[in-house]
Amino acid sequence: MNKSILALVVAMSLTACRNDDGGSISNSKTGKLDGQVKAMSVSDESFQLNGYRLQASGAEICYRQHSVDFARLDNGMRVQADAVNNNVSSMKLDPSMVGEVDYVKGNRFSVNSVELEYSDLRGVKAGDWVMVTTYPQVDGTIEVISVQLMPEIGEVEMEGFVERHQGYSFTLNGIEVDYSNATLHGASSLKNGHWVEVFGDMVNNSLRASEIYAEDYSKYDDVEIEGLVTWVNSDITMFQLNNHLNIAITDRTEFDDGKRSDLEVGRWVEVELLYRNGRLIADEVEFEDDGDFKRGKEFEVEGYAEHSRGEMTFKINGGDDIVITNRTEFEDDLSINNLNGVWVEVEGRYINDRFVAYEIEREDRDDDIELEGPVNNGRLWGYEATDGSLDRFNGRWVEVDCDLDGTRTVSNCDD
């Protein structure tokens, strides 16, 4: 990914700021950019963002309502910038986490009771306030790419998925969040699977939220964003970026430095986005890595869905739970309310010991079936090979084609 990994060991100066919600180096850029600061030059206040060399002299640089001096930025920080002919008019810092350091032990440290790891923590100690930038990895973990010291501002920030939602509480990155007195932006209510940014105070290892911003896809209209591909469906009509943005691919999508079939989990890409009819569409995709990338564990299964109305999990063949989230894409008029008993094809990823569904669609029950997942005791997703053709894959994660003999039996499985 060619990500710079440096730690800033001087305090960030914060003053008042207007609260406005509003590869190779390319020659010119006008528009909105979302990505990592690289190759900073403090002397002329310039930096690289998404492959463009940008000039930030006189730019308004903000974190929330605070103004940040250019010299206090660092390589690796994630920012959102507005540029006209490579001149930045405004830029917002978009960290993954802000808060107080609980402890530092070698390369390991904790912020807001969340344990992290970083290769260069010199100058950072318990009690310091820091701004942390992370990116997801294909195995469901996160990588810290920047840690900056900052003055205490009295408000922490965390982002991630809503889990175990109940009443006015949920967990975020394993931390309990109480939002009974919070202002909610971007959604009338929260559900499991919502991607959120939460601001508030840490109280006894829990986060007492004051403001919550739910993901709003419309803000990405006409934005160029970079990140990691964390899922691609089988017919390459949709992919996921940075573990939370579902992006559609159309016949009009252009591909630079690669082709449509090169879009795989683990690739680092830059995407020009459009927001149309409630969804994000890739106008252009540019590959920014050399093709040497990690591949995560994806799964695919067909069968009759076994689902209890209102539940956020279902099964195929009585096997492992498959998790439904707010990001799960339902096709062919399917929904969480009419899933039970339907023969479906499910695609998703295995993250943190869970099978998470990214796409569920109706499928005709044919004589052959494609399956991807772990083989144990000669079974895959509850299907038993009557001829023993799955036995040689025991203990492995495989992608196979099989003949479908019955509701739960297959044969002639081959990878």
Side-chain angles (χ1 to χ4, degrees):
M1 300 179 191
N2 299 322
K3 300 194 294 285
S4 297
I5 304 180
L6 296 174
L8 185 65
V9 294
V10 293
M12 194 177 279
S13 66
L14 300 177
T15 56
C17 182
R18 185 178 70 247
N19 187 9
D20 182 11
D21 289 334
S24 60
I25 306 302
S26 302
N27 292 326
S28 181
K29 176 63 179 180
T30 294
K32 301 176 182 179
L33 298 164
D34 187 316
Q36 296 177 31
V37 171
K38 298 178 182 179
M40 278 185 58
S41 173
V42 176
S43 61
D44 65 357
E45 295 192 351
S46 67
F47 64 101
Q48 181 182 338
L49 183 64
N50 292 11
Y52 302 96
R53 192 72 194 176
L54 303 180
Q55 175 60 241
S57 298
E60 184 181 55
I61 306 173
C62 302
Y63 170 67
R64 299 278 278 166
Q65 72 272 25
H66 305 287
S67 179
V68 180
D69 185 76
F70 181 87
R72 303 312 187 194
L73 304 184
D74 190 28
N75 293 317
M77 294 178 64
R78 185 170 58 232
V79 300
Q80 298 164 351
D82 291 318
V84 178
N85 295 327
N86 284 26
N87 290 297
V88 177
S89 58
S90 64
M91 183 163 64
K92 299 176 184 178
L93 309 189
D94 186 21
S96 309
M97 186 180 303
V98 171
E100 183 178 351
V101 176
D102 305 309
Y103 71 83
V104 177
K105 295 180 181 178
N107 291 342
R108 299 196 64 81
F109 69 113
S110 172
V111 179
N112 301 338
S113 299
V114 178
E115 294 188 348
L116 302 164
E117 188 170 350
Y118 187 57
S119 61
D120 188 355
L121 291 169
R122 289 173 295 178
V124 179
K125 62 184 183 301
D128 287 338
W129 274 65
V130 292
M131 180 177 290
V132 182
T133 302
T134 68
Y135 272 85
Q137 301 302 293
V138 295
D139 60 359
T141 62
I142 61 173
E143 179 184 1
V144 177
I145 63 171
S146 180
V147 178
Q148 300 89 21
L149 284 166
M150 62 183 296
E152 179 179 347
I153 61 174
E155 179 185 59
V156 306
E157 175 185 356
M158 292 175 61
E159 68 177 19
F161 293 115
V162 172
E163 295 183 300
R164 300 182 181 90
H165 182 273
Q166 186 174 7
Y168 285 95
S169 69
F170 61 91
T171 59
L172 182 69
N173 301 323
I175 303 302
E176 183 179 354
V177 178
D178 174 3
Y179 73 104
S180 56
N181 294 310
T183 301
L184 183 59
H185 305 274
S188 59
S189 62
L190 292 181
K191 297 179 180 179
N192 288 323
H194 264 131
W195 178 268
V196 293
E197 292 179 316
V198 181
F199 300 88
D201 301 311
M202 293 300 297
V203 180
N204 297 326
N205 298 322
S206 297
L207 177 53
R208 184 179 297 166
S210 58
E211 285 189 284
I212 299 178
Y213 290 82
E215 184 74 271
D216 178 9
Y217 274 12
S218 65
K219 73 178 183 180
Y220 293 101
D221 185 33
D222 202 26
V223 171
E224 181 180 312
I225 186 172
E226 68 173 353
L228 186 76
V229 176
T230 47
W231 171 71
V232 184
N233 68 357
S234 59
D235 54 4
I236 319 181
T237 57
M238 181 173 293
F239 69 102
Q240 187 182 82
L241 193 70
N242 294 336
N243 210 31
H244 68 101
L245 295 177
N246 288 350
I247 302 170
I249 301 170
T250 73
D251 292 338
R252 295 185 178 183
T253 302
E254 297 182 5
F255 292 88
D256 290 340
D257 298 326
K259 55 188 181 297
R260 187 169 183 160
S261 59
D262 293 327
L263 194 64
E264 298 182 64
V265 170
R267 299 299 300 261
W268 188 264
V269 296
E270 291 177 3
V271 188
E272 294 183 12
L273 294 172
L274 299 172
Y275 178 73
R276 300 289 186 270
N277 299 320
R279 66 174 185 165
L280 291 176
I281 298 173
D283 189 44
E284 183 175 324
V285 178
E286 182 175 356
F287 296 93
E288 290 296 313
D289 56 32
D290 58 6
D292 183 15
F293 54 91
K294 298 178 181 178
R295 291 174 171 84
K297 287 185 176 180
E298 298 179 275
F299 72 86
E300 179 179 354
V301 59
E302 291 183 31
Y304 288 113
E306 302 164 10
H307 177 252
S308 297
R309 188 179 180 88
E311 292 295 319
M312 297 301 292
T313 62
F314 69 101
K315 298 177 183 291
I316 299 287
N317 287 343
D320 292 300
D321 284 342
I322 301 174
V323 179
I324 301 169
T325 75
N326 189 61
R327 298 166 292 124
T328 301
E329 297 282 341
F330 287 92
E331 305 289 345
D332 308 314
D333 297 320
L334 282 175
S335 73
I336 196 171
N337 297 319
N338 62 1
L339 186 61
N340 187 55
V342 179
W343 187 274
V344 295
E345 180 184 67
V346 185
E347 297 180 45
R349 287 179 59 211
Y350 185 67
I351 305 175
N352 297 329
D353 300 322
R354 299 189 307 165
F355 294 94
V356 180
Y358 284 179
E359 185 177 62
I360 304 173
E361 59 184 336
R362 294 180 188 270
E363 185 63 51
D364 294 330
R365 188 177 182 278
D366 297 323
D367 293 334
D368 60 293
I369 190 171
E370 295 181 5
L371 301 170
E372 182 175 3
V375 178
N376 293 297
N377 299 319
R379 292 175 178 267
L380 175 57
W381 286 110
Y383 289 102
E384 180 182 4
T386 55
D387 59 354
S389 56
L390 285 174
D391 292 347
R392 61 193 174 104
F393 301 118
N394 275 330
R396 292 171 51 190
W397 194 285
V398 298
E399 181 177 2
V400 294
D401 292 321
C402 303
D403 292 336
L404 182 63
D405 301 330
T407 302
R408 298 191 178 188
T409 57
V410 294
S411 61
N412 298 319
C413 295
D414 198 8
D415 57 359

